[in-house]
Amino acid sequence: MASGCTGDDGRAGNGRAGSGRPGAGATPTEAELERQGGDGTVFLAGADAFAQPMPGLEGEQRRTFAVGNSFFNQNWVTAPASTEGRDGLGPLFNAQSCSSCHFKDGRGRPPESVDDAERGLLVRLSVIGDDGDPEDHPRYGGQFQDRAVRGVAPEGSVVITTSERTGAYADGTPWSLAVPTYDLRTADGAPLGDDVLISPRVAPAMMGVGLLEAVPEADVLAAADPDDRDGDGVSGRANVVVDAATGREVLGRFGWKASVPSVEAQNADAFVHDIGITSSRHPEERCTPEQADCRAQPSGGSPELEDAKLDQVTFYARTLAVPARRDVEDAGNRAGQQAFEDIGCSSCHTPELRTGPSDLVPLSRQEIRPYTDLLLHDLGPDLADDRPDGDATGREWRTPPLWGIGLVETVNRHTRFLHDGRARNLEEAVLWHGGEAEASRDRFVALPAAEREQLLTFLESL
């Protein structure tokens, strides 16, 4: 989450005064609040709440959704194999399937030990080149891969240790945060080196990404305020990236640093970096010149993931429905929503956006409530990874959408939040905020216990 100051009138959906962001209008009804994904909403709150197709998909579309789902969930295997359509794993990889990290299309968590079989956290790498700019590590590339096919040595392992940081609310109630330290070790047990910039990241939830992709770029750019012209302490900034498919500069929307422009690009990136599966977007294996054993392995095809299969997985991801918000009629829930706005969280977690025209009816011209502005914000030194990512600095993170966070425990059986899963619950996620969100965090700390609980109840309803 990222927080700042609310708009002058404090109403849900307005965002910062004069920001030009979409969403201003009449106070939404309870039915509108429930339908967080517009026509792409499903009223399901069980373990499969994140894995549902959007209502309104027709026969052929539902079949494409089902095929894409199968490729998302099934494990890839080492080449050559009799299952030619699913071979080519690795040679280096972090997971064998998309769902290894996005279990039930939800969010990952950090491993509890080196031997933890749960997948969901990866580590991006950089070193500073001779020109002063970050570049891939000469031996390990841009991502640390802790698994490998037979005959190839994994790059190493990640050990996470934590220490406790304590404090207290204004009313004297104590709180504690787990501060993570990451120790990357090579295959022979040596430390990776102090000159390496690392960025640990957990897998985010998948639902609703098609709706976020359909928000007009002009609307997102209109909400940016990089120079803080309105003086509210919040300076959301767009991450403009090059779309490799077109060569054009476009808005980055996805990834923790908003460094990826589209759902298709995100999928193709994940296939090659996380699973080691090449596509027409990334036709080369991620083996560096120093990794001879990796480069010597047989391929599962050129590319290993055909365009038709990438299209099917992309369709599946674009049409994953958003679960409905719950208990909107509850007075405490509504009071928590008001507290969320009053302390400024809605400046970055924009309650309402609108999608533009789309080739898919459930995505087209929808009023949605994702609680994100899709912009980068400086969240201060405590959350900084100090690793630039495109135009994003080491202190900047994209505002993640909040829809569905109240169901993470039900779907994914954990309550870990923020970019690396360091927050053990939603309360800790709020307390970790700094930088542009420091004022909102301090207002949260100053709230009476009952109002803090109402705000957290509101978040759990999303």
Side-chain angles (χ1 to χ4, degrees):
M1 290 180 290
S3 308
C5 302
T6 193
D8 289 346
D9 62 6
R11 286 189 292 114
N14 281 358
R16 295 195 296 277
S19 68
R21 69 176 64 226
T27 301
T29 65
E30 290 182 355
E32 289 170 334
L33 291 173
E34 286 180 327
R35 290 166 50 83
Q36 298 188 110
D39 291 342
T41 303
V42 291
F43 288 80
L44 186 69
D48 294 320
F50 297 164
Q52 302 304 307
M54 288 183 172
L57 297 184
E58 299 177 352
E60 185 60 33
Q61 292 173 329
R62 293 185 71 86
R63 284 188 287 274
T64 303
F65 181 93
V67 173
N69 178 43
S70 72
F71 282 108
F72 189 89
N73 286 300
Q74 293 189 25
N75 285 347
W76 290 78
V77 298
T78 305
S82 58
T83 54
E84 293 183 1
R86 298 179 188 272
D87 69 345
L89 174 69
L92 293 162
F93 60 98
N94 294 111
Q96 286 185 259
S97 70
C98 305
S99 61
S100 296
C101 299
H102 303 276
F103 178 66
K104 289 183 175 290
D105 301 287
R107 61 183 294 122
R109 63 164 175 83
E112 296 178 351
S113 70
V114 175
D115 300 322
D116 190 348
E118 257 323 290
R119 295 283 146 184
L121 181 136
L122 56 84
V123 181
R124 297 283 173 82
L125 303 177
S126 294
V127 295
I128 300 301
D130 294 338
D131 59 0
D133 293 329
E135 58 186 39
D136 287 353
H137 191 283
R139 177 170 181 80
Y140 300 109
Q143 186 165 309
F144 196 62
Q145 291 159 322
D146 59 350
R147 303 179 73 186
V149 300
R150 182 173 298 178
V152 178
E155 292 180 335
S157 60
V158 181
V159 177
I160 306 172
T161 56
T162 60
S163 59
E164 291 293 321
R165 178 186 301 171
T166 59
Y169 290 103
D171 61 11
T173 304
W175 53 256
S176 178
L177 301 176
V179 182
T181 299
Y182 298 90
D183 182 17
L184 273 62
R185 296 277 168 167
T186 63
D188 59 5
L192 197 59
D194 294 336
D195 59 335
V196 182
L197 307 179
I198 69 169
S199 182
R201 304 178 185 185
V202 295
M206 296 290 297
M207 70 286 180
V209 295
L211 291 164
L212 297 177
E213 185 179 52
V215 176
E217 179 175 307
D219 288 354
V220 179
L221 295 177
D225 185 19
D227 300 318
D228 192 19
R229 293 185 304 272
D230 57 13
D232 68 353
V234 177
S235 51
R237 196 167 66 84
N239 194 0
V240 177
V241 301
V242 175
D243 186 346
T246 64
R248 295 189 301 109
E249 288 191 340
V250 296
L251 174 71
R253 300 170 185 261
F254 301 109
W256 287 103
K257 299 274 190 178
S259 58
V260 184
S262 67
V263 176
E264 180 186 76
Q266 181 70 30
N267 288 342
D269 286 357
F271 268 112
V272 75
H273 289 107
D274 303 351
I275 311 177
I277 299 297
T278 61
S279 65
S280 60
R281 273 185 172 264
H282 298 288
E284 301 294 331
E285 299 283 4
R286 295 308 184 195
C287 304
T288 67
E290 296 186 29
Q291 294 172 321
D293 56 350
C294 177
R295 291 186 286 109
Q297 296 303 305
S299 169
S302 298
E304 293 160 334
L305 179 68
E306 301 166 5
D307 284 349
K309 293 175 182 176
L310 177 59
D311 290 344
Q312 289 162 336
V313 175
T314 298
F315 182 90
Y316 168 74
R318 291 179 68 206
T319 54
L320 281 167
V322 177
R325 183 178 160 191
R326 300 160 306 286
D327 301 322
V328 297
E329 74 286 349
D330 178 74
N333 189 332
R334 298 300 289 268
Q337 178 176 350
Q338 188 62 54
F340 180 87
E341 296 169 3
D342 288 345
I343 70 172
C345 301
S346 58
S347 281
C348 304
H349 290 287
T350 305
E352 182 182 317
L353 298 174
R354 292 188 177 91
T355 69
S358 172
D359 58 320
L360 295 173
V361 172
L363 304 180
S364 185
R365 303 185 188 281
Q366 301 295 315
E367 289 190 3
I368 60 175
R369 290 176 170 78
Y371 290 88
T372 177
D373 58 7
L374 297 175
L375 296 172
L376 296 170
H377 294 274
D378 182 338
L379 292 188
D382 283 346
L383 290 181
D385 62 2
D386 297 322
R387 177 184 176 271
D389 191 341
D391 284 343
T393 72
R395 291 167 55 118
E396 288 181 313
W397 301 95
R398 183 200 71 155
T399 308
L402 299 184
W403 51 17
I405 58 170
L407 292 173
V408 168
E409 184 172 14
T410 298
V411 175
N412 298 129
R413 302 193 294 270
H414 69 79
T415 57
R416 304 303 292 262
F417 298 100
L418 298 179
H419 65 278
D420 58 355
R422 67 178 61 195
R424 294 168 293 193
N425 51 52
L426 290 171
E427 180 181 4
E428 290 188 15
V430 177
L431 291 171
W432 268 112
H433 281 58
E436 297 175 40
E438 182 175 356
S440 292
R441 180 203 62 204
D442 290 347
R443 295 184 193 112
F444 178 75
V445 170
L447 288 176
E451 293 185 34
R452 295 198 305 270
E453 188 61 33
Q454 288 171 337
L455 190 151
L456 296 172
T457 296
F458 158 67
L459 293 177
E460 290 167 358
S461 77
L462 296 178

